[in-house]
Structure formats: C-alpha cells, structure tokens
Amino acid sequence: MKMKKQLRQRGGRAILYGTTRTRSDLFESLPDEIVIVILCKLTSTASSPADFVAVLLTCKRLKKLGMHPLVLSNAGSGVVSVTAKNWSDEAHRFLKLCVNAGNKEAYYTLGMIRFYCLQNRGSGASLMAKAAINSHAPALYSLALIQFNGSGGKKTDKDLRAAVALCARAAYLGHVDALRELGHCLQDGYGVRKDVEEGRRLLVQANACELASVLRAFNITQSQRPDLIESNGSPCRYGSGLPEKKLHPANRFLIEWFGLKGCGVPGPGLRLCSDGWCGRPETRRNEFRRCSGCGMVNYCSRGCQAHDWRVHHKIECAPMEEWNHAIDGVDEEQQVTDDRTVEIDEIESDEPLDSSL
C-alpha cells in the first residue's frame, strides 16, 4: 500500500515527511538600498497621500523603510498634499518629518499653512525661504507677494526691491505669474527702473507660455473630453472647460481651510483673494488691491487678477459708481493702472491682524 505524502506549512518552511526544504522569498532577499530606491520613485510620482499610506501598510519592512529620510526627501507634492478637512496633529507631524528630511515641497506646503492658516508668520516665512533656497519657484513667488503686500506686518514693511528680485528668480525658473508680475513692475517702474519695452516683452512671453499650456490641455481634452469641443474642432470657450494652470496642493489647502472656517472669511474686516485658484487671505485690512472697475473684488497679485479676469470677472465687472464710497481718501498718486486694480489706503488700521501660535 503506497502512503501519500503530506505537506505542512510552518514559518516559511515547507516540511515534507522525510525531507525539509526552505521556501525562497525574493522580497526579503532584496537589500534595503534597492527597496529605498524603489520607494523614492513611488513617493515622487504618487498622486495622493493615500497612495503612500497604502504602500506603508503592506508590511512592516515597507513601513519602516518608507519613513527613511531619503524616501521622505524625494516625496512629491502629491504625498504632502494634505487636505484641510483631514488636518490633524498626525498630518502636521508627517509634514514636519518631511521637512526634517529636507523635502522642498513640504517646506513650501507647511510654510504656507503656518503663515496664512495657523498665523505663525515667522515660522511659515522661514520654511518658504528654505524652499526658495532650493529653487522652488512657487515658494519664490509667494515670498515675492509677501514682500509686495507687506503681508504679516504693516504697509510700511513692504520691500519692493526684494520682491522684484524674488519675482525675477521665479520667472527665470518658469513661473508664469511671476513673469507677468515682473513685466508689470518693469512697465510701471514699480520697485525697479522703468523699462516699458522690456516689460511688454515679458508680458507677451507670459501670455505665450499660458497659451501653450492651454493648447497642451486642449490636445488631451480632444481625446478625454469630447463634450468640450465645438463642431469645428475648437475649444468651447477659453477658460470655461480647459484648465489653464494646475492648482498647487498648498493653494487648495488654503481654499478649503477658509471655506471650512465659515463663508470664506479669514477674519474681521479681512478678505480672500478673489481668484478662485489662489486662497491667500489678507493679513491686515485693505492689504490687497481692488478692481478699478467695480471695487467688488480684490487680488493679491496681478497674476491672480489676470487669471480671474479671463475666467469670469470680465463679464461680471460693474461700473465704478457702485463703489465710490469705498475709495474715499485715495491719493492721486494711487492712480488706476492698466491692470485694472487700485490700491486702497489702510485708514482703519495698519496693524497686522495675526498672532503667533
């Protein structure tokens, strides 16, 4: 009578009556260095924090190696894109781990959150400065806006020359809004020696870069969103269906944060930038420039004003007579510029409405 062989599994070893052999595990045999390189690639291309968390929950080894400083330093904007509704001590701690690892996206994202949301101005500006040192274009542009507007301080704290220098660096790295802001500064002689011809050239270049991004989006839309294409093959309406620019996770956090705080109001007497893709709030009353046509909207920068004008404000702008009461006391020097915004005197208070946490 022939006896059947029985197989039992114990602790990764296949035990056969009469013989014993070890089952091979290719993953466990991989060196840590190779696994870290793979994780670096995954974190740099992940589209959301959930993708990264799913990898960490696979096994203990991946959880341990996934928190390696080299992996965290290479994490892309998708991994650090925490949402306002999910903001917690754990999310804050994770961003600080990425910051300690030297991640420039974490520098910028946490810096924006601390500066505008948590009102920790010094720490937020310091983190954005570290990102700017690493040639992070959005961080350079954000610091330029802080200097242009004197955010977090008094109106007299504006440093136009520093703002122009930061804008120039961001424009050199390809930031379209910084390029447009620099063009207006040169055209108006604002913080820099006036050069109308060079300013106009930069404005044309900014428009060309923006048009190129729209055309790239149009090529994708033709295959993915045929409902946005007219019968003649052209997009339905510029700005109506095609994304002009990508919303950075930091800006998305600001929009959600102040939306959750109630009616999008950052504080008493303060307003948000009217561009729906920005989310920056005023840090003191009348910090932002208002539209010279209607006075009902205000912008932190010319980039936001230009984008919002194309998308929807062009058809909403009302006559000047509706807001005459809002510009009492405006000096003659504060003339309306060709960017259709005007600066309002800060009559009520010049003190920053913030507190360090």
Side-chain angles (χ1 to χ4, degrees):
M1 178 177 169
K2 188 180 292 184
M3 297 181 61
K4 294 182 178 180
K5 295 180 180 180
Q6 302 178 10
L7 183 66
R8 293 186 299 172
Q9 187 74 22
R10 290 181 181 175
R13 297 174 66 86
I15 304 177
L16 192 65
Y17 286 128
T19 61
T20 302
R21 59 185 175 85
T22 303
R23 185 182 64 180
S24 61
D25 191 332
L26 296 178
F27 176 71
E28 293 297 336
S29 64
L30 286 176
D32 288 348
E33 291 77 7
I34 295 180
V35 179
I36 289 175
V37 171
I38 296 173
L39 288 174
C40 287
K41 181 65 176 178
L42 289 173
T43 55
S44 63
T45 57
S47 59
S48 67
D51 295 341
F52 180 60
V53 172
V55 173
L56 298 184
L57 295 178
T58 303
C59 65
K60 292 183 178 179
R61 188 184 184 197
L62 286 179
K63 182 178 180 180
K64 178 182 177 181
L65 296 179
M67 303 306 292
H68 192 278
L70 187 59
V71 176
L72 295 179
S73 66
N74 284 274
S77 59
V79 174
V80 299
S81 61
V82 297
T83 58
K85 64 179 181 180
N86 294 327
W87 180 252
S88 60
D89 291 339
E90 288 74 17
H92 197 174
R93 191 178 304 113
F94 173 72
L95 286 179
K96 287 194 288 186
L97 287 174
C98 294
V99 164
N100 293 335
N103 187 299
K104 60 182 180 181
E105 285 290 346
Y107 280 140
Y108 175 61
T109 301
L110 186 56
M112 289 281 283
I113 292 173
R114 286 185 175 177
F115 189 89
Y116 289 109
C117 300
L118 305 182
Q119 298 183 11
N120 192 340
R121 313 296 188 192
S123 176
S126 175
L127 288 174
M128 283 188 277
K130 290 180 180 179
I133 291 173
N134 288 284
S135 299
H136 190 271
L140 286 162
Y141 181 62
S142 292
L143 289 174
L145 295 187
I146 290 174
Q147 297 297 332
F148 273 128
N149 299 321
S151 301
K154 299 179 181 180
K155 184 178 181 179
T156 55
D157 292 332
K158 295 180 180 180
D159 190 339
L160 301 184
R161 295 186 64 180
V164 170
L166 290 166
C167 233
R169 178 60 178 167
Y172 174 78
L173 294 174
H175 199 284
V176 177
D177 288 339
L179 188 63
R180 176 175 286 108
E181 197 78 29
L182 183 61
H184 278 291
C185 288
L186 286 169
Q187 195 175 40
D188 303 336
Y190 190 65
V192 67
R193 180 178 297 177
K194 189 172 183 178
D195 190 338
V196 177
E197 184 177 352
E198 179 65 12
R200 289 177 178 174
R201 187 189 70 81
L202 293 181
L203 291 176
V204 171
Q205 184 179 347
N207 291 334
C209 292
E210 213 160 48
L211 178 59
S213 68
V214 172
L215 293 177
R216 284 194 296 269
F218 172 61
N219 291 332
I220 298 175
T221 303
Q222 280 185 305
S223 58
Q224 297 181 355
R225 295 290 305 279
D227 56 303
L228 296 178
I229 307 302
E230 299 284 4
S231 57
N232 60 358
S234 62
C236 291
R237 181 170 65 86
Y238 181 61
S240 61
L242 299 176
E244 291 185 70
K245 59 181 181 180
K246 184 179 179 181
L247 183 63
H248 194 279
N251 296 99
R252 183 183 296 111
F253 186 96
L254 297 183
I255 295 171
E256 294 176 356
W257 178 272
F258 293 109
L260 293 173
K261 291 297 179 181
C263 302
V265 179
L270 303 181
R271 305 171 69 182
L272 291 172
C273 178
S274 297
D275 182 17
W277 289 66
C278 178
R280 289 181 177 86
E282 291 181 323
T283 59
R284 65 177 185 277
R285 294 181 180 90
N286 298 323
E287 176 183 336
F288 294 162
R289 298 168 66 91
R290 294 182 182 176
C291 174
S292 62
C294 64
M296 302 302 295
V297 295
N298 55 288
Y299 303 102
C300 67
S301 65
R302 290 178 175 89
C304 288
Q305 183 268 336
H307 177 259
D308 192 55
W309 176 260
R310 283 193 309 272
V311 173
H312 60 79
H313 187 59
K314 186 175 183 178
I315 59 176
E316 297 176 351
C317 196
M320 184 88 168
E321 289 75 17
E322 295 186 6
W323 66 289
N324 281 336
H325 64 281
I327 59 171
D328 293 337
V330 177
D331 295 334
E332 290 185 1
E333 290 81 9
Q334 296 171 330
Q335 296 290 336
V336 178
T337 60
D338 54 359
D339 67 325
R340 295 184 61 84
T341 58
V342 63
E343 190 172 4
I344 306 299
D345 278 344
E346 300 169 20
I347 299 173
E348 299 181 21
S349 174
D350 204 25
E351 294 296 326
L353 300 179
D354 63 346
S355 58
S356 300
L357 297 182

